[in-house]
Amino acid sequence: MSASRGEFTSRFGFILAAAGSAVGLGNIWGFPTQTAGNGGAAFVLVYLILAFFLAYPAFMAELVIGRHGQANAVTSLRKISNNSTQRIFAFIVGFGGIVCAALILSFYGIIAGWMMSYAVEPVTRVVGLTAVGDWVISQSLARNLLFVSIFMFMTVSIIRFGVEQGIEKWSKRLMPALIIILLSLIGYVMTLEGASEGLQAYLLPDFSRVLDPNLLVSALGQAFFSLSLGTSVMIIYGSYISRKENLVTLGAQVTLIDVSIAFLAGLLIIPAMYVAQASGVTIFGEDGSLVSGPGLVFSVLPALFDGMGSMGVLFSFAFFVLMSVAALTSSISMLEGPVSYVVENHGVERKKATTLIGIFILMLSCIIVFNLGTLLDFVATLSTEYGQPIIGMLCCIFVGWIWHRNNLLSELQSGYEGVEHSLFWKIWPWYTKLVCPLCIGLVFFNSL
Ligand code: PFF
């Protein structure tokens, strides 16, 4: 089996692919939106702390499980189990992660479809197809079905080609494009009236809110979602990393890129909201808080673009292309979890498995589209607020309590011989064993 498995051809390839999974709508939409809804800079501060002190150790747990197992999540977790009860537990956790990834993709694809439709709209205006433009940005069953299908088609097309020719090749193309578009947009927004007020709201924390339980829960959920934890994705990406690579630094680099891009997205969105306000758009809701959620991306920002004349058309196009690209590099990772499991454990050929699973997830998306008002929130809550933290916590328990410490050490030593004497090895094992499961559990139960 291992001879036919793919592997990232370089550390750069892995970093871009894993960062591609991590950087998505969660960073560019979720993070700024949560920041707006949770008191601005106080949220940013708590997020940064939780991302490095809770999400990074949990992320390392998943990567090391995958690199050791050199297989999909179920098989990798089974390889570190010591008896039949643990192997059953391994199946539940691994398969649970795969289901979670599939559920996330089923609603994520719908939102990504909206982003694509908003990217198409400025193009229709330029070529004079105004009626088509109005249709693509109006909520309708047909529009939603069309765009989620296009998005899923793109995701399936990339995953069919496997690790090197699919995931790695496309991550290397899309991620630099994403960073260039993001930086250009920030540069432009900063020149506009109102941006500096937005910068202040984003960067000056109100310390009284830092310990607010709601803020803590939202920040942890956001950090887990952003690093794609608890979904089997980082286990499978870990399994494609060569044994020559130093996992500790690779994991830290990906976390840093993920957090930095979320931070940059905030530098774009929050000032853009205040720019919109300066040109007459309402950015505060009735309760006095900043508009967040879909209202922010699909009404405040388009209103801002509309007021910018011809520059606004270009800006709007670039912004929604940015969103779509970010969504695509994440969705391919979500599909890879279930596909690798079916290919490796059920002997189905990759292209066939990808198409079948893609169609199955698209059908789930269609069911959600038909019941948008009830199912979208339900599936999102189930998978991201329950599934991800629980499975992420169980992966930490596997590493901390089930995996023999010496075996864990020898896995980390490949690619990093001196790890035994590093600060990482002094802190991380007990951190993953005690602090991570406890904190994740506490925050999770608090949210119930
Ligand atoms: N990390 C992605 C984002 O921030 O948008 C979302 C994500 C990707 C969640 C992959 C789960 C996953 F398995």
Side-chain angles (χ1 to χ4, degrees):
M1 184 168 72
S2 60
S4 63
R5 289 195 93 235
E7 187 174 282
F8 291 114
T9 56
S10 64
R11 69 181 349 232
F12 183 62
F14 164 76
I15 291 175
L16 285 193
S21 169
V23 174
L25 297 178
N27 300 60
I28 303 176
W29 178 10
F31 176 77
T33 296
Q34 299 251 26
T35 304
N38 282 294
F43 182 84
V44 179
L45 187 70
V46 174
Y47 177 79
L48 292 180
I49 295 172
L50 291 183
F52 283 106
F53 289 96
L54 271 182
Y56 168 65
F59 176 46
M60 282 308 300
E62 297 194 16
L63 280 187
V64 74
I65 290 172
R67 219 252 317 245
H68 173 79
Q70 295 288 302
N72 63 81
V74 171
T75 310
S76 293
L77 284 163
R78 276 191 176 146
K79 282 192 184 163
I80 52 176
S81 307
N82 307 304
N83 55 43
S84 56
T85 318
Q86 288 177 3
R87 275 188 283 278
I88 295 173
F89 184 44
F91 176 80
I92 296 172
V93 177
F95 197 71
I98 289 168
V99 171
C100 195
L103 285 179
I104 295 177
L105 182 53
S106 70
F107 81 82
Y108 201 86
I110 299 172
I111 300 173
W114 295 344
M115 299 298 170
M116 280 174 53
S117 66
Y118 272 75
V120 168
E121 190 259 356
V123 181
T124 60
R125 299 232 179 272
V126 170
V127 296
L129 296 171
T130 322
V132 179
D134 289 341
W135 181 79
V136 293
I137 58 164
S138 60
Q139 266 296 350
S140 74
L141 201 62
R143 188 282 305 253
N144 289 341
L145 290 175
L146 176 69
F147 279 93
V148 71
S149 307
I150 298 175
F151 185 77
M152 283 301 289
F153 174 78
M154 290 164 75
T155 306
V156 165
S157 306
I158 296 177
I159 287 299
R160 275 167 65 94
F161 286 101
V163 184
E164 298 92 337
Q165 291 305 313
I167 301 175
E168 182 169 344
K169 185 165 156 187
W170 280 91
S171 301
K172 278 183 177 162
R173 288 176 180 172
L174 296 174
M175 286 302 287
L178 180 144
I179 293 171
I180 292 170
I181 300 174
L182 184 58
L183 291 177
S184 324
L185 290 177
I186 294 173
Y188 182 64
V189 162
M190 287 304 157
T191 64
L192 302 176
E193 190 197 332
S196 56
E197 206 186 325
L199 264 187
Q200 280 180 15
Y202 184 49
L203 298 177
L204 297 179
D206 167 6
F207 286 104
S208 65
R209 293 211 50 185
V210 160
L211 290 177
D212 173 352
N214 290 333
L215 189 147
L216 284 172
V217 172
S218 308
L220 186 70
Q222 176 61 31
F224 260 62
F225 184 71
S226 193
L227 275 174
S228 315
L229 300 179
T231 58
S232 78
V233 163
M234 289 306 170
I235 298 186
I236 190 70
Y237 273 25
S239 79
Y240 297 141
I241 304 176
S242 148
R243 283 240 150 80
K244 292 192 216 93
E245 297 295 350
N246 178 338
L247 274 190
V248 178
T249 46
L250 276 185
Q253 283 162 341
V254 173
T255 310
L256 200 65
I257 294 178
D258 183 44
V259 168
S260 309
I261 294 199
F263 185 75
L264 283 177
L267 274 185
L268 168 67
I269 306 274
I270 308 286
M273 291 179 80
Y274 282 80
V275 170
Q277 186 188 37
S279 56
V281 179
T282 312
I283 62 165
F284 290 99
E286 279 169 11
D287 60 351
S289 62
L290 273 174
V291 173
S292 54
L296 167 57
V297 171
F298 298 118
S299 54
V300 171
L301 295 180
L304 167 69
F305 304 143
D306 275 351
M308 285 161 61
S310 54
M311 205 48 205
V313 177
L314 192 68
F315 198 92
S316 164
F317 175 69
F319 177 77
F320 287 107
V321 167
L322 168 75
M323 289 293 209
S324 309
V325 168
L328 190 59
T329 54
S330 296
S331 67
I332 56 179
S333 74
M334 294 174 211
L335 187 57
E336 180 62 14
V339 166
S340 60
Y341 172 71
V342 171
V343 169
E344 293 175 0
N345 288 23
H346 295 280
V348 182
E349 190 257 332
R350 173 173 265 274
K351 287 198 162 74
K352 191 170 163 194
T354 312
T355 310
L356 289 177
I357 296 173
I359 291 175
F360 176 73
I361 296 177
L362 178 60
M363 277 160 56
L364 289 183
S365 303
C366 292
I367 297 175
I368 299 177
V369 166
F370 279 108
N371 302 279
L372 210 56
T374 44
L375 281 187
L376 186 68
D377 261 359
F378 174 74
V379 177
T381 308
L382 182 72
S383 52
T384 63
E385 288 180 24
Y386 294 86
Q388 285 194 276
I390 293 177
I391 291 164
M393 180 171 75
L394 294 176
C395 285
C396 291
I397 289 177
F398 252 97
V399 168
W401 297 89
I402 293 180
W403 200 346
H404 199 286
R405 202 178 147 96
N406 289 344
N407 297 342
L408 174 60
L409 177 61
S410 80
E411 180 55 48
L412 284 169
Q413 276 169 333
S414 21
Y416 185 7
E417 268 182 34
V419 70
E420 196 177 352
H421 308 291
S422 68
L423 185 65
F424 179 82
W425 184 251
K426 289 193 180 78
I427 299 175
W428 181 73
W430 64 263
Y431 209 85
T432 316
K433 185 170 185 151
L434 299 169
V435 181
C436 287
L438 211 85
C439 291
I440 299 167
L442 264 179
V443 175
F444 174 68
F445 283 112
N446 193 17
S447 75
L448 298 182

